[in-house]
Each structure stands twice: as structure tokens, then as C-alpha cells.
Amino acid sequence: MADAPLADVIVLFGGTGDLAQKMLFPSLYILDADGFLSPGLKIVATARAHADTAAFAAQTRKAVEARGKVDDAVWERFAARLEYVEGDATTDEGAAKLKAAIGEAKLPIFYLSLSPSLYIRVCRALGHSGLAVPGSRIVLEKPIGRDLESSKEINAVLAEVFPEQHVFRIDHYLGKETVQNLLALRFANTLFEPLWNNLTIDHVQITVAETEGVGDRWPYYDEYGALRDMLQNHMLQLLCLVAMEPPSDMEPDSVRNEKVKVLRSLRPFTRADVAHNSVRGQYTAGVVGGQAAKAYEAERGQHSDTETFAALRVDIDNWRWAGVPFFLRTGKRLPDRRTQIVIQFKGVPHSIFGDGAEADLVANRLIIDLQPDEDIELLLMNKAPGLSRGGMRLQSLPLSLSLLKAYEGPNARRRIAYERLLLDVIHGNSTLFVRRDEVEQAWRWVDGVAAAWADAGMAPKPYAAGSWGPAGAFALIERSERVWND
Ligand code: BG6
């Protein structure tokens, strides 16, 4: 990749907020500790909360300490970069204060760690006030809109102020080491790619299960639900990385072009097939990890039609994947925290082992665990040890990479996804960020699912907190004689 110029100031909107304090500042501190921040890089945090730089730095140090050990010398260097600007950047006064704080810096990054409802206003203000200068970059968190129309509105305003190559739309899943490892697994090994198609693969499962409930995030969540909160972004990104064609290199557009092609090949849902191919659920009271958990509606305080669980059978209409269903499942208040991709291969075409071993034969399966444990297991058939009357007995055994044991030394620590992403923004590398057409294509497809649900009058089915979702989620996959890898 051609070297983009290094940013020299990060302006963090919403600097006192949860995301900034829990993820962004700890990540920036670690980047500094690891020697990744250039000496001149400034960090300007801005928010409405009343504070001065010293008080803000003290608060931020506590947040960084909550993630791990802080070294006094590194902290001193890091704190010297910090400046806090109290105010509202959408006013003339606020913008003037920010300009003063940015000072001589020439290449600012504007990180909007804000409610998406403020994106348009803040972006316009950056344009009007002249804070956005040629070359400056803007970083936004998901969700970019709530549907195609609202995402287009945001993207249009972004485009008035920033050229697309300077817009960094974050999907924090792409910052996870294990998610990037999917690219390495597929494209740095000769082993899998020849098998990665409908001749050999039976189906794919992608599960993102959480034990946490929605809790006090309901004002946001109730507007979005599992489909828009998890599926439109994180899960479709995982699907794209599994399903895309090999890009010619790791340039941002090479990778993103291939992902867009996958999104364009997703078969739209229709009113006629939506009940057959999808399940919506909402958790009721139950027990998770031995603790009583409230129903979603009790957290919400009233009746709600928002889904906290979604399972979908997705078909990708292209040559590689025709006839290979992708089963996607995500939910809150499930029994386990687990992000897992399962590549289920087809069975052998003919068994030579006779009747006794017929029942032993299990088709190969590649299990990629992304969270909480990182592991890659390939289930292979072996001869069962020992003697038996009649024919040979067989046994399926895992070939396991045990990634946690394999990663030793300074790289053993699990990195925060934002470390990678912030470093990439500073260097101007957008490979791991979501391009405008990508986010819009994902919304186009998701809007189709939401519209089909509405047309078919599909209300979420209840499931007890601590269970694997409504019974329909099992039926969804069993209809095609497959089962979830639980
Ligand atoms: C966020 C969603 O994008 O991702 C949350 O808004 C969800 O609802 C979170 O809990 C999951 O992220 P992770 O990294 O904990 O898997």
C-alpha cells in the first residue's frame, strides 16, 4: 500500500463517554507504550462535561488502569499529548476553541465517538468551521443509519466534507485479531482454498452469542434490535470474509470490492419465504450463568416488538456458494458467550469401512472460535484404537491449533480491537474499514429482511434467558437435516 501521510492530531468527540474511556484511551495508551505513536501526535478530547485537562487526564488514567497496568513513565509521555476542550463543537465558540487546541497540527483525525444522531450536525460543523482541512480523516462508529435511506443521508453529508478515502467507518469486529486471522487462514494456506466451495462444503454456521442482556442500553437497542445491531454489520462482515473471492492484494479497495460482491449476491428475503428461513426471538425472564435474568420487556419497562435474537438461513447466489446455506444466529441472554464459525464439509462419497463403521463416519468440520477462546479445530476421522470384531471402527478427533498456547511472548496479550483500527487510521489505511457502498449494500439487504418480517407479521417469539433462542431456531436448521454445533 502506498504510504499515506501520518496524522498528527486526533480530535476525539465524546471524549468523556463510555466508548472513549473504556476502549479508545486504553488503546491509545497501549499504542504509545508499544512505541506506535509518533512523538508529535496530539490527542484532543472534547465533550460538554465540565473539566480541565488535568482533571480529564486523571479520569482517563483511571479508565486506562481499569484495563491493565500503567507504567508511570509511559503515562507521563501519554498525558503530555492530551488536551481537554470543554464545549460544543457545532457552535462557533466551540469550533474556535478546538482550532486553538489543534494549533499547528496539519493532519487531523476527527473521531466521532458520539450518538449517531449527531453525525450529520457535527460533520456539517466540521465543514463550515474550516476544522476539516484537505487530508483530514473522519472516523465513525456503527450504526451508520438505521436503514438504507438514513445511512445514505449520513453518507451524503460525509461526502460533502470528506472524500471517501478519508472516511473510516468502524466495524470493531474487523479490528479483532481472530477476525483478521480468517484472511490468513484462507489466503496464506494452500490447503483450504481448493476445498472452499459448494463441491466440498455442505453448509456454514456463524454464531455470535452473548450472555449479557440489553440492560440500560434499551433506548438505543429498542430502535435497532438484533438484525440492525449485530447482523447488518458484524455478522455480515464475518460472512463476507468467509465467502469472498481471494482479493489480488490487501489494498483497501481490493478487499472491499470482494466483500461488496458477496453482499450483492445475498438472496433477498421475501414475504413468502421469510418464516421458513428466519426466526426472531425476544428473551423472557430466566437464568444465565446461575444468575436470575430479567425479561427484555421488564428492562424496557413496556411491551416491545424488538428482537433480541435472530437466526437466518442465508443463500449466496453465485457459482462458489450455490446450494450452500449459511446459517446465521445471534442473540442476547444466551447460555454462552461465543463467536464461532463452523465450516461443515460434505461426507465421503462412499464408505469402504463396512456396516459397523458406517455410523462412526462423521463429515469433516472446521471450527473457528473467535471469542472468548481463540482456537481453530479441524475434525478429522481416525481409526479408533484397539481391536474389534469385524471391520475397522472409526473415531472423529480434533486437530487443534490451540491459538492461546501458540501465541507466546509480547503478542500473547489479547489486543483491544481498537488498537489495530486506531493505528490504521493514523496511517491512513482503510482496508479494515467499511466503504460507503458496502454499508449501503448491507442495509439494502437487511431492509429487505425487516420488510419481509413486517409484511409477514412476524413478531418475536419468546425464549427464556439462558436458552439457545426460540424452538424455531432449531427447526430452521433441522429442516435441512443439519444441526447447530452446540
Ligand atoms: C456492538 C453491539 O456493536 O457489539 C452490542 O452494539 C454488542 O450490542 C457488541 O454487545 C458485541 O461486541 P463484542 O466485541 O463484545 O463481541
Side-chain angles (χ1 to χ4, degrees):
M1 209 192 104
D3 278 348
L6 276 185
D8 49 8
V9 59
I10 301 177
V11 183
L12 227 159
F13 292 84
T16 51
D18 235 34
L19 176 74
Q21 292 284 309
K22 287 194 182 143
M23 299 287 179
L24 304 181
F25 283 108
S27 300
L28 285 166
Y29 167 81
I30 293 165
L31 287 177
D32 200 352
D34 288 353
F36 284 115
L37 300 189
S38 61
L41 182 86
K42 277 185 83 169
I43 303 171
V44 176
T46 180
R48 291 199 196 172
H50 177 60
D52 59 14
T53 297
F56 177 77
Q59 170 192 347
T60 302
R61 177 166 180 151
K62 282 199 193 117
V64 176
E65 279 169 348
R67 298 272 335 188
K69 216 170 147 296
V70 168
D71 178 281
D72 284 335
V74 176
W75 178 261
E76 215 169 285
R77 182 172 77 215
F78 183 71
R81 302 175 185 278
L82 292 180
E83 180 166 346
Y84 181 73
V85 175
E86 174 186 335
D88 175 354
T90 62
T91 62
D92 290 346
E93 193 201 342
K97 278 169 110 186
L98 273 184
K99 265 192 194 153
I102 289 174
E104 298 293 298
K106 297 205 167 33
L107 212 163
I109 292 171
F110 299 106
Y111 195 127
L112 273 45
S113 176
L114 296 170
S115 155
S117 60
L118 296 171
Y119 286 171
I120 290 185
R121 242 180 76 202
V122 173
C123 185
R124 285 214 166 107
L126 290 173
H128 291 155
S129 62
L131 278 162
V133 291
S136 50
R137 300 169 190 155
I138 186 159
V139 186
L140 301 104
E141 286 287 332
K142 65 152 266 260
I144 310 286
R146 190 186 170 273
D147 51 22
L148 178 60
E149 202 185 318
S150 50
S151 78
K152 278 185 163 173
E153 233 175 281
I154 296 172
N155 285 330
V157 175
L158 285 171
E160 284 167 20
V161 185
F162 298 91
E164 178 61 24
Q165 71 269 27
H166 295 160
V167 179
F168 291 74
R169 296 179 193 80
I170 288 201
D171 183 311
H172 78 277
Y173 267 50
L174 294 177
K176 292 180 193 268
E177 206 111 69
T178 46
V179 174
Q180 290 156 43
N181 197 30
L182 284 171
L183 291 171
L185 188 73
R186 285 196 58 197
F187 304 128
N189 293 295
T190 44
L191 213 58
F192 296 116
E193 204 44 32
L195 305 178
W196 214 257
N197 55 46
N198 56 5
L199 297 178
T200 327
I201 293 179
D202 176 75
H203 75 277
V204 175
Q205 299 180 16
I206 303 178
T207 295
V208 181
E210 296 181 278
T211 49
E212 295 285 308
V214 175
D216 52 17
R217 280 179 80 220
W218 67 260
Y220 151 77
Y221 194 89
D222 209 52
E223 279 283 296
Y224 285 78
L227 179 69
R228 294 181 172 91
D229 181 51
M230 294 296 287
L231 223 126
Q232 187 270 346
N233 34 77
H234 308 322
M235 298 199 71
L236 286 186
Q237 286 295 329
L238 295 178
L239 177 143
C240 283
L241 294 178
V242 171
M244 73 186 194
E245 295 301 312
S248 53
D249 52 38
M250 281 288 280
E251 288 290 318
D253 281 340
S254 309
V255 173
R256 298 186 300 178
N257 287 345
E258 297 307 334
K259 289 198 285 169
V260 172
K261 283 188 209 160
V262 175
L263 293 170
R264 290 169 62 93
S265 311
L266 299 181
R267 186 180 302 166
F269 273 56
T270 64
R271 179 190 172 150
D273 62 21
V274 71
H276 195 259
N277 289 335
S278 70
V279 175
R280 295 179 79 203
Q282 187 189 86
Y283 59 83
T284 56
V287 177
V288 184
Q291 303 279 324
K294 279 193 194 172
Y296 175 68
E297 286 189 346
E299 292 172 336
R300 169 78 180 88
Q302 65 181 65
H303 171 73
S304 165
D305 271 332
T306 299
E307 77 285 347
T308 58
F309 176 96
L312 272 67
R313 174 198 160 123
V314 179
D315 285 274
I316 303 178
D317 288 330
N318 64 19
W319 272 45
R320 188 188 280 261
W321 296 114
V324 181
F326 280 60
F327 293 98
L328 271 46
R329 174 175 65 155
T330 185
K332 304 240 180 237
R333 287 284 187 232
L334 300 185
D336 266 348
R337 171 161 164 76
R338 180 196 305 170
T339 303
Q340 185 181 67
I341 298 172
V342 175
I343 312 290
Q344 177 64 61
F345 291 94
K346 293 185 174 171
V348 291
H350 166 70
S351 168
I352 63 167
F353 298 101
D355 291 348
E358 195 94 327
D360 299 339
L361 264 178
V362 178
N364 300 134
R365 178 178 286 192
L366 178 68
I367 303 173
I368 306 166
D369 282 313
L370 306 169
Q371 294 185 140
D373 300 323
E374 298 168 29
D375 201 1
I376 297 178
E377 272 189 0
L378 182 60
L379 296 188
L380 295 174
M381 290 310 297
N382 292 267
K383 177 191 173 300
L387 302 175
S388 59
R389 283 181 207 286
M392 183 191 290
R393 298 304 303 258
L394 302 168
Q395 175 180 33
S396 166
L397 286 175
L399 193 63
S400 169
L401 279 190
S402 302
L403 288 178
L404 276 187
K405 274 189 233 140
Y407 296 153
E408 279 177 353
N411 289 324
R413 183 181 63 79
R414 174 172 286 196
R415 290 196 171 267
I416 308 171
Y418 288 93
E419 294 174 37
R420 162 91 269 152
L421 298 175
L422 282 161
L423 188 61
D424 283 355
V425 182
I426 293 171
H427 285 265
N429 178 356
S430 53
T431 301
L432 297 177
F433 296 81
V434 187
R435 205 170 58 189
R436 177 177 183 167
D437 53 344
E438 203 178 338
V439 86
E440 292 183 359
Q441 189 58 40
W443 275 124
R444 191 168 286 120
W445 184 79
V446 160
D447 280 0
V449 178
W453 280 349
D455 281 357
M458 265 176 71
K461 293 267 192 294
Y463 64 95
S467 71
W468 277 107
F474 296 94
L476 172 83
I477 191 164
E478 282 162 10
R479 268 200 284 281
S480 62
E481 294 176 16
R482 289 141 173 150
V483 288
W484 293 110
N485 181 55
D486 287 336

